[in-house]
Amino acid sequence: MKKQYDIMIVGTGVAGLFAALHLPEDKQIVMITKADLEESDSYLAQGGICVLKNEDDYAVYFEDTIRAGHYENNRESVEIMIRSSQDIIRELVDFGVDFERKYGEFLFTREGGHTASRILYHEDLTGKEITEKLLMQVQKRPNITIFSHTTMIDILEKENICYGIVAELEDGTVTEIFSDYTVWTCGGIGGLYKHSTNFRHLTGDALAISLNHEIDLLNVDYVQIHPTTLYSKKPGKRFLISESVRGEGAVLLDKNGERFVDELLPRDILTKRIKEQMEKDGTDHVLLSLGNMPAQDIIKRFPNIYKRCMEEGYDITKEPVPVVPAQHYFMGGVKVDADGRTSMERLFAAGETACNGVHGANRLASNSLLESLVWAKRAACKIGKQYEPVRWEEYGSYFEKKMENGQVLHKPYQEYSQEYHNRVKEKIEEARKGREEKNT
């Protein structure tokens, strides 16, 4: 790997890929990911992506979003996201993304918290469909280079300006990578939790680095629990049973097979109801039934969920499946403005790593893919518009001295990881307690 690029993107999920596709093609771009290319949470998104269907839907969509977010949303961000949605969908289609259609017209589904059907989808693998198609486009660009199994350990910073990162390469080598601009799109924090739908390597490293460099964070105690993940006694990542299953009519049952709740409540409220029912029943799960859907419709609409449940011994066309809440999404993160700029110059962020306030205290279903794409594009366009190269002859020797003096982390990630994880968990707990004290 060479040591200097024009733009560094940390992460290869939808936000990172979409940002890369909107950056100037005359710039040398490097993308890194901590694991394999397919191991981003973008691949796991089952339900779909929201879109403003028409002008009559705007006020309702806006209200659905801020109501789900307990009216703590940044309203400017919500407006930006909704107003950008139709252009984002047009671009995705141009990039080859295949949304479900009937007679040439888009099919829409509905999920929890929505008062209307406004969600586009591809079977129950929408995130995988979008991510794979964007990755194909990125891999066609000769100016974009991708390295997998490469981990960000630190950033190169002077006087609140980011000049790149320190990374551990696949062979274990630790090196500095200089860049004029850096974009963080490195996912959430699920790897910090015992039970999560996220990949285990997503552990909030960008937040820990932000704490080390006094980069502003926002709403770090806002962690969303998904109400319905496949129950298992095995440790590790939980398999998500998409919100769209309930949107298509699946019902939640108690231990006696009785329905006990409105399945389309916002996620945090539904999670609370499920936990209350589990405590009442003395069980460690509830049941999700698709009994009101014909078997052939279930298999066609949710082929991945059907296959996975069969692998675990449950035939969802014939019997209810046990489900339990698990950590799912991070609404907080590195604080960014309307163009994805962080509080540090030349450092941008988008996707689950970033927080622009659009989700408030609770994310509305299927807003995550849309929000990630909107801010990835805005960040890339802002970089392209303001692009100014760094005068590296002024900074190379500065960072060499810092590394020689041990002021820049220059050891394998394993030596810092537990410290990073503990710092993030402590910050989340500190923010949670602070908010509780404020509310009382």
Side-chain angles (χ1 to χ4, degrees), residues 253-258 281 287:
L253 308 175
D254 63 15
K255 67 176 184 179
N256 299 315
E258 299 292 332
D281 289 346
L287 298 170

Side-chain angles (χ1 to χ4, degrees), residues 280-339:
K280 179 181 177 181
D281 289 346
T283 60
D284 46 12
H285 65 266
V286 295
L287 298 170
L288 182 68
S289 172
L290 289 78
N292 58 350
M293 292 179 65
Q296 63 271 23
D297 290 351
I298 294 172
I299 296 171
K300 181 180 179 181
R301 177 68 177 85
F302 305 111
N304 185 52
I305 294 173
Y306 170 75
K307 177 183 176 185
R308 179 59 183 272
C309 289
M310 286 291 286
E311 291 172 352
E312 295 293 325
Y314 303 105
D315 185 345
I316 60 174
T317 67
K318 297 178 181 178
E319 60 185 332
V321 61
V323 294
V324 65
Q327 189 279 335
H328 179 54
Y329 195 82
F330 185 42
M331 281 87 63
V334 180
K335 184 179 180 181
V336 297
D337 67 8
D339 293 311

Side-chain angles (χ1 to χ4, degrees), residues 4 74 79 179 229 283 289 323-324 349 418 435:
Q4 186 172 325
N74 181 315
E79 181 176 7
S179 58
T229 69
T283 60
S289 172
V323 294
V324 65
Q418 196 56 54
R435 196 179 298 273

Side-chain angles (χ1 to χ4, degrees), residues 52 58 61-62 74-88 336-340 356 358 370-371 373-378:
L52 177 67
Y58 178 80
Y61 184 4
F62 191 98
N74 181 315
R75 291 177 177 244
E76 178 190 6
S77 295
V78 176
E79 181 176 7
I80 288 171
M81 180 187 70
I82 295 174
R83 290 296 184 192
S84 303
S85 64
Q86 293 180 351
D87 286 338
I88 294 294
V336 297
D337 67 8
D339 293 311
N356 51 58
V358 73
L370 175 61
E371 181 254 337
L373 295 166
V374 169
W375 261 265
K377 178 180 178 179
R378 292 179 70 87

Side-chain angles (χ1 to χ4, degrees), residues 12-235:
T12 58
V14 294
L17 296 170
F18 210 58
L21 291 170
H22 286 87
L23 288 167
E25 293 190 46
D26 63 342
K27 304 302 179 187
Q28 290 301 306
I29 301 166
V30 62
M31 305 182 71
I32 66 168
T33 182
K34 203 173 180 182
D36 292 325
L37 291 178
E38 295 78 14
E39 292 184 2
S40 72
D41 277 355
S42 298
Y43 270 87
L44 303 178
Q46 295 175 352
I49 179 171
C50 296
V51 63
L52 177 67
K53 293 174 70 174
N54 50 54
E55 195 58 35
D56 292 339
D57 185 42
Y58 178 80
V60 183
Y61 184 4
F62 191 98
E63 176 62 23
D64 285 350
T65 299
I66 63 172
R67 183 176 61 251
H70 299 289
Y71 300 97
E72 294 189 31
N73 317 62
N74 181 315
R75 291 177 177 244
E76 178 190 6
S77 295
V78 176
E79 181 176 7
I80 288 171
M81 180 187 70
I82 295 174
R83 290 296 184 192
S84 303
S85 64
Q86 293 180 351
D87 286 338
I88 294 294
I89 296 303
R90 278 192 285 268
E91 285 195 57
L92 292 179
V93 172
D94 288 343
F95 284 138
V97 175
D98 180 26
F99 295 114
E100 300 295 330
R101 299 173 186 256
K102 187 173 183 179
Y103 307 122
E105 299 295 324
F106 286 135
L107 292 178
F108 296 90
T109 190
R110 181 184 168 200
E111 296 180 1
H114 290 269
T115 55
S117 297
R118 62 171 69 89
I119 299 167
L120 297 173
Y121 61 95
H122 177 92
E123 296 178 346
D124 55 351
L125 295 166
T126 309
K128 182 174 185 289
E129 169 68 11
I130 294 174
T131 310
E132 286 185 343
K133 295 298 173 61
L134 293 180
L135 180 59
M136 288 172 58
Q137 295 296 325
V138 165
Q139 290 173 329
K140 294 178 182 177
R141 301 275 179 99
N143 66 311
I144 302 175
T145 304
I146 304 177
F147 293 96
S148 60
H149 298 278
T150 301
T151 301
M152 175 176 63
I153 296 175
D154 197 4
I155 56 172
L156 299 167
E157 178 243 334
K158 180 183 180 184
E159 298 174 352
N160 200 45
I161 302 174
C162 181
Y163 294 103
I165 71 168
V166 179
E168 180 182 349
L169 310 183
E170 186 171 9
D171 64 2
T173 302
V174 176
T175 186
E176 66 279 9
I177 306 172
F178 296 99
S179 58
D180 293 336
Y181 293 89
T182 300
V183 185
W184 279 348
T185 61
C186 34
I189 59 173
L192 300 177
Y193 291 79
K194 182 178 180 181
H195 301 295
S196 173
T197 63
N198 297 183
F199 281 110
R200 303 308 300 164
H201 62 273
L202 299 176
T203 49
D205 296 339
L207 274 71
I209 292 171
S210 293
L211 290 170
N212 287 347
H213 291 270
E214 299 182 340
I215 299 167
D216 290 347
L217 304 178
L218 181 66
N219 295 342
V220 293
D221 57 322
Y222 283 167
V223 180
Q224 187 176 69
I225 308 298
H226 196 285
T228 54
T229 69
L230 183 62
Y231 171 75
S232 175
K233 293 182 179 180
K234 303 173 187 175

